[in-house]
Amino acid sequence: MNSVVCVKQVPDTETLIKLNADGTGIETAGIKWIMNPFDEYAVEEAVRQKEKSGGAVTLVCLGPDQALDAIRSGLAMGADTAVHINDAEFAAKADPYATAVALAAAIKDLEYDAIFCGKQAVDDDAGQVASILGELLDLPVITIVIKFELSDDGKTAIVTREIEGGHAVIEVPLPAIFTAQKGLNEPRYASLPQIMKAKKKPVTVKTVADLGVSAEPMTVIKGMELPPERQAGKMIEGADAAAKAAALAKALHEEAEVI
Amino acid sequence: MPGAEITRELYWNVVGTGFPVARVLTYVFALIAIILFVLGLLRKGGLIDRIRMMKLATGPDVPRTDNAGERLKYAIAEVFGHRKILREPYQGIAHLFIFWGFIILFFGTFMDFFQGDVVEPLFHANILQGGFYLFFSFITDLGGILVIVGVIMFLIRRYVNRPKWLDDKPEDRIILWLILAIAVTGFLIEGLRLQATELQPGHPMNPYAWYSFGGHLFALPFSGMSIAAVKGLHQVIWWVHLFIVLGFIVYVAYSKLLHIFTVPANIYMRNMTENPAPLKPIPPESFETAETFGIHLLEEYSWKDLFDSEVCIRCGRCVAVCPSFLTDKPLLPRDVIQNIREHLEAKLKLALDADGKVHVIPEESYEGPGLIGDVIDKETIWACTTCMACIEACPAYISQFPKLIDLRRYLTMMESDFPAEVQEVFRGMENNSNPWNIGSHTRADWAKDLEVPLMSQKGEAEYLFYVGCAGAFDDLNKKAAISLAKIFNAAGLDYAILGTEEGCCGDSAKKIGNEYLFQMLAETNIEVFNGYKVKKIITLCPHGYNTLKYDYKEMGGDYEVYHYTEILNDLIKSGKITLKNPVGDLGTISYHDSCYLGRYNGIYEQPRNILNALGVGGLVEMASHHEKSFCCGAGGGRMWMEETLGTRINQKRTQEAIDAGVKTVCTACPFCYTMLTDGIKELGKGEEMQAFDIAQLVAKAAGLE
Ligand SMILES: Cc1cc2nc3c(=O)[nH]c(=O)nc-3n(C[C@H](O)[C@H](O)[C@H](O)COP(=O)(O)OP(=O)(O)OC[C@H]3O[C@@H](n4cnc5c(N)ncnc54)[C@H](O)[C@@H]3O)c2cc1C
Ligand code: SF4
Ligand code: SF4
């Protein structure tokens, strides 16, 4: 089974986020960048499927120069090749739609039976790209996948989705798009030889113009706000457990007014 | 010649007049024994073959033959002085007795030979007479008695005390009984001779018979026997004694008695680098070029690693102090070494071809047990805390745990096969340069409300205060970092911190086997240090201390590194800080030696001096302390791994504090502090006991809180 995996580079979840001057985005200097964690599940699944039944794994990534780090991480995990749509200007203002258009243009020339995405990117949390990609490529989209199995003839996939309070098992003809959820697998820690090999794996670099894409974003971010700073916690004092519990109840009732 | 009557007849009762048949036979038998001994060394799979197998090993090693003079001096002092062996007084004294007893007896036998076969035939003189003979008699008897006492002590340990870490193989018992038999038959010969000669009234030697006090004792049972019977028995036992001695010599080549030669050789070749437990170097450029990292094949070890397995006498001292073994985990450092030895012997069989040459076994064609998994279990490999107690305890100067780190390196870097919890730790170190994966921008937040100079503002400072991840991110240990900053400020120390420019030292990554990650972290730090022309560094954490001091040096970062206890000890001594304020009721205090301060770096007294300077309560030692201090369980990356096997190391250590009856346990290591704090809670002693980092107490006593 050949797979394409869409990987996005996002700021590390622990990194300090500051808004840029006009408040429509974040300050990108001095940020530690990582591969979107949900995309790691996607890469891992594609590589596991390759290890099981052969085929190749191609990564596709839209992002500036530094996004190459995320691509190399994915190659170190076992992907074979990558397409890097290196277009800082386009990437900076791309909304999920424009992103999906660019990805679709890069993917359409590739050979694939499955496209894996993360269920959402942890930066803007839109969760839309995979679905729009499905529309553009005219493929079925199965979201929030926690188990993936290829049928014996390799023509369909039997996947399990996480739904509120239970699971749904879905059979879908390939090719199709899947979005990976935590639990799908445990992404590997790339071994040193794999990291070294990844440095030599082929990465095709393309601009949006190379792909013949001229999509304008459909949405524009007008403003961003940081969440209010967390208030310092309050320690409940008391002579013993009972006294502390009483003080806590009082505080919840009178100060926080939640009970 | 005066005193010429004070002597004895050599070969008395054995060699008659005329042609000395027995004398010649003795030499013939001795020659045969020596030939058998040499054949034993040369036999298929014998010592020489094993050494040839060791020479196939490809792993790098530290220098072993530099400083010849110093090495020789040290080895002689250690071998004859038994310094390390005597650390266990019972076994030490027993071994010392046998060792010196044998040396004396060897000297005695040599004198007999020298007199009988050199001096007498060539010069017709007798040096074994008069006062010297009496001294000679006395001292050789003393030697024999020492041997017997030593052997009996060992026999009691082996048959009666039987500590659970003692290995017990047939050769262990055979050797003891052989030695006992040599000494006892020797004394019987002497006793029987005395009974037939000196002890007879009127014999010229009769007044001096007690110089041979050992033989005298052994003569007692025969006092009623006829002279003829005594002489007959004497002849029989003389030959029995000879054959046991010769058998013993042959047995050396086939048993752990080879340690008579291999242990002194190993002491001579001891690690003389500054780092007491160096790991194999992996040059940074090899990450790009080498095909494999760490060790998964026997032959990838260094020849010295393999020689270590030859030297191990299975004494079990390393087992007796191993925190993993003592908490019922499947790690016995001795067994690691012995398993390597057995593996070497098994592989040697395959490596020997028909004409007796030892050839390399190609990895593809080898189908026997694998080094990792079969020879040494993965559980064993991950159980080690790198506490170094094994190395410190080993009288044969074997380096045990670094051989496990070599295997971890293979598992981690080649297979990504490590305890699952560790992946997040690596990620944290990679993304935020700390094992907790807390945003690296918060590294200096602990110092927010303090006046702590930043290197980036100050530009230069005499000391870099390298806080380390625990002091910077862990709430419990931030207290120590804050205390130290306050103390340094009060003492007017010219220092600065790096703030968010500081990175993880990489100790855990290195000890878990991720040398690649370690070197990335180290390189980043070294670059920053050098950017500020750092020369002297104070660390809060002993792990950082050890890493910066030894490992960074190997990577070209050469600094004078101090642990804060060294600095505080000096500041107190020189009066730069005065400890006048009350520190509260600490009760009796114990100091817990951190492995990386104590065994690794010999910092035992500075922390104790500081505690004494507080002028509170009594400082009492726990059952294990100083060189034998018991690990807290967090070293070697174990801090970040679940402890699912056996019982918990930190609880065992905490129990020692409880048993010592102390109210306060002090440490100078963030890992130890965390482990002991947890141990106190886990054992339900939160009300009665407390743990402190020494820095906190000093700050309090200096009125800085
Ligand atoms: C990144 C991400 C984070 C999220 N986080 C949260 C969270 O924190 N908490 C939470 O509760 N949810 C969360 N969600 C779920 C999310 O709020 C809703 O599930 C999602 O908006 C529904 O969109 P859908 O594409 O699944 O549309 P659908 O399930 O198809 O429904 C969308 C809407 O379309 C219309 N519709 C669909 N089918 C019909 C029909 N048959 N007839 C009439 N109208 C119809 C309805 O108006 C419906 O509300 C998250 C989703 C994403 C992608
Ligand atoms: S370093 Fe410590 S834990 Fe590891 S084997 Fe040696 S004694 Fe045991
Ligand atoms: S390794 Fe050293 S301490 Fe351990 S059993 Fe062997 S000789 Fe004794």
Side-chain angles (χ1 to χ4, degrees):
Chain A
M1 186 184 89
N2 294 317
S3 309
V4 166
V5 186
C6 301
V7 292
K8 184 179 189 185
Q9 193 184 39
V10 298
D12 180 70
T13 45
E14 296 299 323
T15 213
L16 175 66
I17 300 291
K18 289 187 201 137
L19 296 186
N20 62 11
D22 60 6
T24 60
I26 62 167
E27 197 61 72
T28 51
I31 279 184
K32 173 77 198 173
W33 298 90
I34 60 169
M35 183 196 290
N36 177 34
F38 290 110
D39 299 356
E40 287 188 9
Y41 300 109
V43 175
E44 178 66 32
E45 196 56 34
V47 173
R48 286 192 190 187
Q49 293 304 324
K50 175 184 87 166
E51 285 165 355
K52 235 187 262 170
S53 55
V57 177
T58 308
L59 306 178
V60 179
C61 173
L62 167 70
D65 289 345
Q66 82 217 8
L68 186 60
D69 287 344
I71 294 174
R72 294 283 175 215
S73 304
L75 292 172
M77 288 174 73
D80 302 282
T81 55
V83 180
H84 182 187
I85 310 166
N86 188 344
D87 209 317
E89 201 186 327
F90 183 86
K93 59 178 186 178
D95 68 347
Y97 167 72
T99 304
V101 170
L103 294 177
I107 292 170
K108 73 176 188 320
D109 300 328
L110 302 173
E111 272 191 32
Y112 57 86
D113 303 294
I115 299 172
F116 291 96
C117 296
K119 78 153 188 174
Q120 74 197 77
V122 300
D123 49 1
D124 52 24
D125 277 341
Q128 301 182 20
V129 167
S131 302
I132 302 172
L133 206 52
E135 179 64 28
L136 296 171
L137 295 170
D138 200 17
L139 293 175
V141 181
I142 318 288
T143 54
I144 326 226
V145 170
I146 53 167
K147 191 171 168 200
F148 181 100
E149 266 175 86
L150 192 64
S151 65
D152 292 338
D153 62 4
K155 292 208 171 98
T156 56
I158 299 99
V159 300
T160 305
R161 293 189 67 244
E162 200 173 68
I163 53 173
E164 192 70 40
H167 292 156
V169 180
I170 295 168
E171 186 170 357
V172 59
L174 296 178
I177 299 177
F178 307 89
T179 74
Q181 161 73 318
K182 184 175 161 95
L184 177 60
N185 50 47
E186 274 305 325
R188 70 194 63 195
Y189 186 79
S191 71
L192 190 51
Q194 290 289 352
I195 294 173
M196 294 305 155
K197 245 197 256 167
K199 293 188 179 175
K200 298 186 190 106
K201 288 182 180 173
V203 177
T204 314
V205 183
K206 290 188 172 164
T207 61
V208 174
D210 294 339
L211 295 167
V213 173
S214 59
E216 284 296 314
M218 286 180 155
T219 56
V220 175
I221 295 171
K222 280 292 183 198
M224 280 189 174
E225 260 174 47
L226 290 174
E229 215 165 300
R230 235 191 316 154
Q231 302 291 309
K234 184 179 172 191
M235 291 300 287
I236 302 287
E237 306 283 348
D240 55 14
K244 285 178 194 166
L248 175 63
K250 192 164 178 266
L252 287 174
H253 181 63
E254 290 170 11
E255 290 170 41
E257 294 179 2
V258 289
I259 55 169
Chain B
M1 202 190 290
E5 77 287 1
I6 301 176
T7 184
R8 77 176 150 88
E9 186 189 335
L10 297 171
Y11 287 97
W12 173 83
N13 191 36
V14 180
V15 178
T17 47
F19 183 72
V21 183
R23 201 152 168 166
V24 173
L25 272 182
T26 304
Y27 282 100
V28 171
F29 289 139
L31 191 67
I32 294 174
I34 289 169
I35 291 172
L36 288 178
F37 167 77
V38 172
L39 287 178
L41 298 181
L42 293 170
R43 77 185 191 279
K44 199 171 170 199
L47 177 70
I48 301 300
D49 269 358
R50 295 199 291 272
I51 289 177
R52 285 156 75 204
M53 180 81 191
M54 291 168 199
K55 284 166 75 183
L56 296 183
T58 55
D61 197 12
V62 298
R64 298 285 178 192
T65 48
D66 54 336
N67 299 316
E70 206 179 317
R71 284 179 183 278
L72 196 63
K73 240 173 41 200
Y74 187 94
I76 290 173
E78 186 68 308
V79 169
F80 292 97
H82 272 48
R83 184 185 64 93
K84 217 164 182 187
I85 301 183
L86 282 168
R87 282 209 193 154
E88 294 297 331
Y90 185 88
Q91 297 97 291
I93 286 171
H95 193 275
L96 186 82
F97 280 5
I98 296 177
F99 177 86
W100 273 105
F102 256 86
I103 288 192
I104 292 169
L105 293 175
F106 182 81
F107 162 77
T109 311
F110 177 79
M111 288 306 289
D112 282 349
F113 153 80
F114 190 64
Q115 170 58 36
D117 295 301
V118 181
V119 180
E120 164 66 27
L122 294 184
F123 306 103
H124 305 291
N126 186 6
I127 49 172
L128 292 181
Q129 62 172 334
F132 180 70
Y133 174 71
L134 292 179
F135 169 74
F136 177 77
S137 283
F138 176 80
I139 200 85
T140 44
D141 272 29
L142 182 67
I145 294 290
L146 287 179
V147 169
I148 290 179
V149 172
V151 168
I152 289 174
M153 286 173 79
F154 274 146
L155 285 169
I156 290 173
R157 194 177 64 128
R158 196 157 286 279
Y159 285 90
V160 184
N161 299 352
R162 308 177 61 89
K164 67 173 177 166
W165 40 263
L166 191 67
D167 210 11
D168 203 12
K169 290 198 177 160
E171 66 165 357
D172 301 326
R173 295 163 179 240
I174 292 172
I175 288 168
L176 290 181
W177 289 115
L178 264 181
I179 294 174
L180 189 64
I182 289 173
V184 169
T185 52
F187 273 125
L188 281 176
I189 301 170
E190 190 186 18
L192 289 164
R193 175 176 60 79
L194 293 178
Q195 182 57 35
T197 57
E198 296 178 15
L199 292 179
Q200 296 300 324
H203 191 279
M205 282 292 291
N206 189 278
Y208 309 106
W210 274 106
Y211 279 95
S212 303
F213 65 100
H216 208 127
L217 283 176
F218 276 78
L220 292 177
F222 307 106
S223 55
M225 244 191 220
S226 74
I227 302 261
V230 167
K231 283 182 141 184
L233 193 57
H234 174 269
Q235 271 193 352
V236 174
I237 294 182
W238 197 93
W239 288 106
V240 170
H241 176 73
L242 179 74
F243 281 114
I244 298 175
V245 170
L246 297 180
F248 181 84
I249 290 173
V250 176
Y251 195 51
V252 168
Y254 291 84
S255 65
K256 72 171 186 181
L257 282 171
L258 271 175
H259 82 273
I260 298 168
F261 306 108
T262 54
V263 170
N266 219 38
I267 297 176
Y268 181 86
M269 295 186 293
R270 79 190 206 282
N271 163 38
M272 281 183 73
T273 64
E274 278 186 306
N275 186 344
L279 302 178
K280 295 191 172 52
I282 299 184
E285 60 281 3
S286 73
F287 287 120
E288 303 283 344
T289 53
E291 311 232 309
T292 176
F293 299 92
I295 285 175
H296 77 301
L297 290 174
L298 181 82
E299 296 85 345
E300 289 169 343
Y301 275 123
S302 72
W303 73 270
K304 177 61 168 60
D305 283 322
L306 302 182
F307 188 68
D308 274 357
S309 77
E310 179 70 43
V311 178
C312 171
I313 51 223
R314 295 185 290 103
C315 70
R317 289 181 186 214
C318 53
V319 181
V321 295
C322 176
S324 291
F325 167 74
L326 292 171
T327 53
D328 302 320
K329 295 174 185 51
L331 165 56
L332 288 78
R334 172 197 60 218
D335 290 4
V336 169
I337 302 297
Q338 286 297 320
N339 291 350
I340 290 175
R341 182 192 167 112
E342 279 164 30
H343 189 46
L344 182 139
E345 287 175 351
K347 274 198 131 175
L348 176 59
K349 284 198 184 120
L350 301 174
L352 271 171
D353 49 21
D355 56 357
K357 287 209 181 78
V358 180
H359 66 84
V360 181
I361 307 169
E363 192 181 351
E364 316 77 69
S365 69
Y366 175 73
E367 280 163 0
L371 180 60
I372 296 179
D374 300 325
V375 176
I376 301 174
D377 279 348
K378 288 188 192 170
E379 283 178 346
T380 303
I381 296 170
W382 292 114
C384 175
T385 69
T386 69
C387 74
M388 218 187 103
C390 47
I391 294 184
E392 185 71 37
C394 181
Y397 284 73
I398 286 164
S399 171
Q400 300 91 336
F401 88 81
K403 297 185 185 19
L404 295 174
I405 307 298
D406 287 324
L407 307 179
R408 286 187 180 184
R409 283 176 164 181
Y410 183 83
L411 285 173
T412 299
M413 289 191 282
M414 297 301 291
E415 309 270 297
S416 296
D417 183 357
F418 40 72
E421 317 82 83
V422 167
Q423 186 154 341
E424 274 312 301
V425 177
F426 286 164
R427 263 171 209 262
M429 292 180 180
E430 283 164 12
N431 295 340
N432 285 295
S433 203
N434 71 80
W436 285 279
N437 200 13
I438 298 172
S440 53
H441 60 281
T442 62
R443 194 175 257 275
D445 285 7
W446 65 273
K448 250 196 229 153
D449 306 325
L450 299 165
E451 298 275 315
V452 183
L454 271 174
M455 212 44 121
S456 54
Q457 288 162 2
K458 210 169 167 180
E460 222 174 312
E462 184 181 0
Y463 293 99
L464 163 67
F465 173 26
Y466 176 84
V467 184
C469 298
F473 293 108
D474 180 48
D475 284 338
L476 189 66
N477 285 291
K478 279 181 198 169
K479 292 190 245 168
I482 291 169
S483 298
L484 284 178
K486 286 180 177 168
I487 297 167
F488 295 160
N489 285 344
L493 204 71
D494 177 19
Y495 80 105
I497 62 167
L498 289 168
T500 53
E501 287 183 283
E502 182 182 289
C504 175
C505 72
D507 167 68
S508 290
K510 188 175 183 88
K511 302 292 157 62
I512 296 174
N514 198 339
E515 182 69 16
Y516 181 62
L517 176 54
F518 165 73
Q519 292 198 13
M520 284 201 304
L521 295 166
E523 266 169 30
T524 313
N525 277 330
I526 290 174
E527 210 169 292
V528 175
F529 294 175
N530 291 350
Y532 289 112
K533 303 198 171 38
V534 167
K535 290 193 186 64
K536 299 184 190 171
I537 301 177
I538 306 171
T539 74
L540 182 157
C541 174
H543 292 262
Y545 172 67
N546 193 73
T547 305
L548 268 52
K549 189 168 162 186
Y550 300 125
D551 302 327
Y552 281 25
K553 191 176 268 177
E554 277 171 27
M555 296 183 60
D558 198 354
Y559 316 104
E560 245 175 75
V561 189
Y562 300 93
H563 184 252
Y564 84 74
T565 49
E566 298 177 279
I567 301 292
L568 292 197
N569 189 39
D570 286 349
L571 291 178
I572 294 169
K573 260 205 221 144
S574 62
K576 294 226 174 76
I577 40 173
T578 39
L579 310 177
K580 279 192 270 194
N581 298 61
V583 284
D585 178 19
L586 301 179
T588 43
I589 308 177
S590 255
Y591 170 67
H592 162 82
D593 285 288
S594 145
C595 306
Y596 278 72
L597 276 191
R599 277 186 290 268
Y600 276 79
N601 288 293
I603 299 183
Y604 295 112
E605 297 316 321
Q606 294 88 329
R608 289 179 169 82
N609 290 347
I610 296 171
L611 287 173
N612 284 325
L614 292 174
V616 289
L619 193 57
V620 299
E621 296 293 355
M622 289 184 261
S624 44
H625 55 89
H626 286 82
E627 287 87 356
K628 282 194 191 165
S629 176
F630 193 79
C631 178
C632 73
R638 293 283 334 164
M639 173 84 182
W640 317 107
M641 300 176 202
E642 304 283 348
E643 196 174 342
T644 50
L645 301 169
T647 53
R648 293 184 60 88
I649 296 177
N650 69 325
Q651 292 181 8
K652 190 166 167 64
R653 183 50 162 171
T654 308
Q655 190 60 49
E656 279 195 11
I658 295 170
D659 294 344
V662 299
K663 191 178 164 195
T664 305
V665 199
C666 289
T667 87
C669 170
F671 286 1
C672 300
Y673 184 26
T674 305
M675 292 310 245
L676 291 171
T677 304
D678 288 353
I680 289 171
K681 267 188 233 146
E682 289 158 11
L683 295 181
K685 294 284 170 183
E687 304 282 318
E688 305 111 79
M689 285 176 74
Q690 52 192 344
F692 281 113
D693 190 297
I694 289 177
Q696 291 167 268
L697 296 180
V698 172
K700 215 173 195 178
L704 299 169
E705 280 207 331

